[in-house]
Amino acid sequence: MCPYCCKIRYYITLIGIILTTNIYGQTKFEREYRIKVENVPQEAKDFTDLCFLNQKIKWYAEESHEGNTIEAKTLYHKHKYSIEFTTSGDIQDVEKEIKFGNLNPEHKSKIMYTLEKLFSKYKIIKTQIQWKADNDVLISLIKEGHTNKQYSLHYEIVLKGKKEKGYRIYEVLCTPNGEMIKILEIVQRNSDNMQF
């Protein structure tokens, strides 16, 4: 095999390892702390005002392995919501907490099939619907629960799972078809990461 072909094979193998590690081998480090509303970008405040008029909003700064963000948390129509923004106020996603048992039955079945392949045992701690879309679409999803416009839907599941090294806490992001997007082992740096 020519030296050029060996280099190509090496880089393809390396890329495969990196991609596999990105999906299955990362650890999630996160530090979250409350911030005052005066320290929140106006664009983020404007969005939450449109969605959650007269609702109490708690604002957080979050530092993680993926960078720094700002998060708004609130209770709306008996559901916990968290809206993640960049530090300049651009919306990244909206997450709505639901009970795993209330998922669409087909989605639930496919996700359980995936989780059973990943873990010998697991217990779900928290389930969230994650929406990504334009601001007006996200507002419709929050206020009306549906939209005819296009958006991205994923499920973020926090669970206690058992692999070969015993039980650990994981965050799993998957599609409604149960396809794995990423799995991160959660390493908590403070006591309020999992709290609302």
Side-chain angles (χ1 to χ4, degrees):
M1 189 177 285
C2 72
Y4 181 72
C5 294
C6 287
K7 280 185 178 179
I8 291 174
R9 178 184 244 176
Y10 169 78
Y11 287 119
I12 289 171
T13 303
L14 186 62
I15 289 167
I17 291 167
I18 291 168
L19 291 175
T20 303
T21 303
N22 283 343
I23 295 172
Y24 297 106
Q26 285 190 354
T27 304
K28 180 177 182 177
F29 295 97
E30 188 175 274
R31 180 173 173 260
E32 188 177 84
Y33 51 92
R34 288 288 299 270
I35 58 172
K36 294 180 179 179
V37 69
E38 303 89 68
N39 299 326
V40 175
Q42 189 61 47
E43 194 174 334
K45 290 188 280 191
D46 290 345
F47 181 85
T48 56
D49 286 345
L50 286 170
C51 297
F52 308 109
L53 189 63
N54 300 323
Q55 295 295 122
K56 183 178 178 182
I57 307 286
K58 293 180 182 177
W59 292 98
Y60 296 84
E62 186 177 285
E63 299 168 2
S64 75
H65 64 289
E66 294 179 332
N68 296 340
T69 56
I70 292 173
E71 195 169 7
K73 297 185 181 186
T74 191
L75 189 65
Y76 182 68
H77 291 198
K78 299 182 180 179
H79 288 282
K80 292 178 181 178
Y81 283 85
S82 64
I83 303 93
E84 195 159 13
F85 302 90
T86 65
T87 53
S88 59
D90 297 321
I91 192 159
Q92 292 188 319
D93 61 54
V94 172
E95 294 176 341
K96 175 184 175 182
E97 190 171 334
I98 59 169
K99 292 182 180 177
F100 186 77
N102 292 344
L103 288 184
N104 171 304
E106 185 180 345
H107 296 179
K108 180 181 168 186
S109 174
K110 289 178 178 177
I111 292 168
M112 286 176 67
Y113 178 76
T114 298
L115 294 178
E116 284 160 10
K117 287 195 299 183
L118 286 170
F119 304 100
S120 55
K121 290 183 180 179
Y122 67 89
K123 181 180 179 183
I124 292 173
I125 299 169
K126 181 168 78 169
T127 305
Q128 294 183 119
I129 297 171
Q130 184 192 79
W131 295 313
K132 291 188 177 189
D134 293 334
N135 288 16
D136 60 328
V137 177
L138 292 172
I139 291 166
S140 295
L141 287 166
I142 292 167
K143 294 179 82 67
E144 299 161 29
H146 61 86
T147 181
N148 295 325
K149 296 181 181 176
Q150 193 170 2
Y151 64 96
S152 170
L153 167 67
H154 295 119
Y155 294 106
E156 187 179 279
I157 299 165
V158 176
L159 57 83
K160 185 175 183 180
K162 185 177 183 184
K163 291 187 173 185
E164 65 280 352
K165 295 179 182 177
Y167 285 98
R168 299 274 202 293
I169 304 296
Y170 296 93
E171 180 182 281
V172 177
L173 186 68
C174 59
T175 68
N177 289 327
E179 294 169 26
M180 185 64 54
I181 297 170
K182 67 179 175 180
I183 176 169
L184 303 171
E185 183 184 335
I186 298 175
V187 178
Q188 291 177 276
R189 287 187 170 179
N190 62 356
S191 61
D192 66 350
N193 284 345
M194 300 292 290
Q195 296 176 7
F196 195 76

